[in-house]
Amino acid sequence: MNTAELNVLLVDDEPLMLRIISRWLDGKVAGIRLAADGEQALRMIEAECPDVIITDWEMPRLNGLELCRAVRELDLPHYVYVFFLTARNSHEEIIAGLEAGANDFLAKPIHQGELIARLRAGTRVLELERRLSRLASTDPLTGIFTQRTFYEHLEKEWARARRFHLPLSCVMIDLDYFKRINDTHGHPAGDTVLRAFAELLRRHSRQSDIVCRYGGEEFCALLPETDEQQAGLWADRLRRALADHPIDIGDRCLTVTASFGAAQRYDDTTTAEQLVDLADQALLTAKRAGRDRVVRFAQLAGETDLESAESQEALFHGVLARHVMTPLVACVHQDEIVGQAADFLLRLRLSSSPVVDDDGKLVGILSDKDLMAAIVSLDSWQRPVREIMKPNVICYEEETPVRTIYEFLCRVSLRRVVIVSEGRPTGAISRGSLIRWFRNLLISRGLLADHESWQVADTEPKCARRRVAETSQELAELAARLAGAAAQSSEDIGPLVIGSATGMQSLVTDLLAYSRYVSGNSAGIGATSVDAGGISID
């Protein structure tokens, strides 16, 4: 970098000083902008970040020292070199300026040669900073952003999309059968393929798009102001370009394909990370469906053929969330430790539970996925739930029409939502509870004829006894295998003991569930039934 590449912002409340310095720098830097005070300068910096700021110390409204502090607190796209123009030269004032974030001082009266020389010295600092920034933010093999840098940009674009109600899409990409390339042709060939694809990805992206190497052979692209359908079209163009242009690895050319998953930000997509997760779900589907294809998240959940509007209106008329929800008997408290929460979910056979504070207000949700990520560390078992829970919860008020929740669950990957009243969780509605409610509604209206012929009969005494016999037999076989291993093997069978005990625990729970029906009086025992939608007391 040299001075001819610099964009300079001059800040001074004296017009004469601005004209003099502008004349000195004219033709020696790339661009010059002028600001009459610190407040105007701050607005100009936020709109377009300069490389160098040359500012006076004494100014009305916002002086140079305050401007420098404000600049250092901004999240700017690159480092800004700051000069102070000042007649102040005491040690205390110089220290105050340096602590505020200044890089250099120019004592008044200013000499043109000294100004240009100090600018040249500043460019060396800026060049080093830019070089270090590039090394920290880009993948050394492919030259595109790292995952960490990608997420930094994602947060900014996410905030902008929400503020201005703009579309935002994410595309996850995985090179097909990449391990075979490394195993067959060697890792240098694999590196060549990764570099070639990164270059292809860069060529097919706009300046506003953000692309990164997500990890290994996975890449990710963020497409601002782009909806999911447009993102799918972009991904398919890139897919065809990759497949149609073999990659030269030295002694031969390889035809490489890739799988793509695209997703857009919906109104109910609560976090930037969730957007990436939706794209990742679509990518996983593309890989399982045969690879070398593009799958949009909407194709997984959002393009379901729903009943006609008239049929929906007849079914949903007057039905609210509180009519359908499964009541919540208990929730996890945010101060409980992870071990207690794991025991709670296992004991009640739940996949997730709302998390509440001391006032019973909903503050998050804890899922078995969160526990899975935490349990690998022994220390995590003693951590409070609030440290691993998800703070963003999809919830609806009790008075919400069920039709709204039904359409939401038809479209997204979430399996259930929490129902609240004045901020306190009171129930849950899952896909399972909605299916059960619809079935019971149709039966009550006589719209399902002879449903007894196909209805599951597990609750009949005869069938329940058969289930008890089958479960008991499986329990006995599991115990026999464990006993045999304990008697014959000299190896460590600790993992086998734990796995067998876990399986036995599940089978015993099933036996307890059937015990209420084997007497033939299913209404005689008050028991707790648990399903994916929550807990209810029969």
Side-chain angles (χ1 to χ4, degrees), residues 202-216:
R202 190 161 29 210
R203 288 203 309 268
H204 278 74
S205 302
R206 303 167 300 180
Q207 189 172 1
S208 59
D209 296 337
I210 299 154
V211 297
C212 81
R213 184 182 178 193
Y214 201 77

Side-chain angles (χ1 to χ4, degrees), residues 515-534:
S515 67
R516 61 178 294 187
Y517 301 114
V518 294
S519 65
N521 180 17
S522 62
I525 302 174
T528 302
S529 65
V530 182
D531 59 30

Side-chain angles (χ1 to χ4, degrees), residues 412-468:
V412 302
S413 58
L414 292 175
R415 295 185 177 182
R416 75 169 188 166
V417 297
V418 177
I419 307 302
V420 298
S421 176
E422 298 181 352
R424 293 178 172 82
T426 58
I429 293 181
S430 67
R431 294 174 183 170
S433 57
L434 275 173
I435 292 171
R436 186 183 304 109
W437 181 82
F438 279 123
R439 173 183 170 276
N440 293 337
L441 175 67
L442 295 177
I443 290 174
S444 69
R445 294 183 180 181
L447 300 178
L448 286 181
D450 195 25
H451 61 276
E452 293 84 357
S453 61
W454 48 262
Q455 186 175 0
V456 176
D458 280 12
T459 57
E460 294 297 323
K462 183 178 179 180
C463 182
R465 288 176 181 274
R466 177 168 59 83
R467 296 294 190 202
V468 168

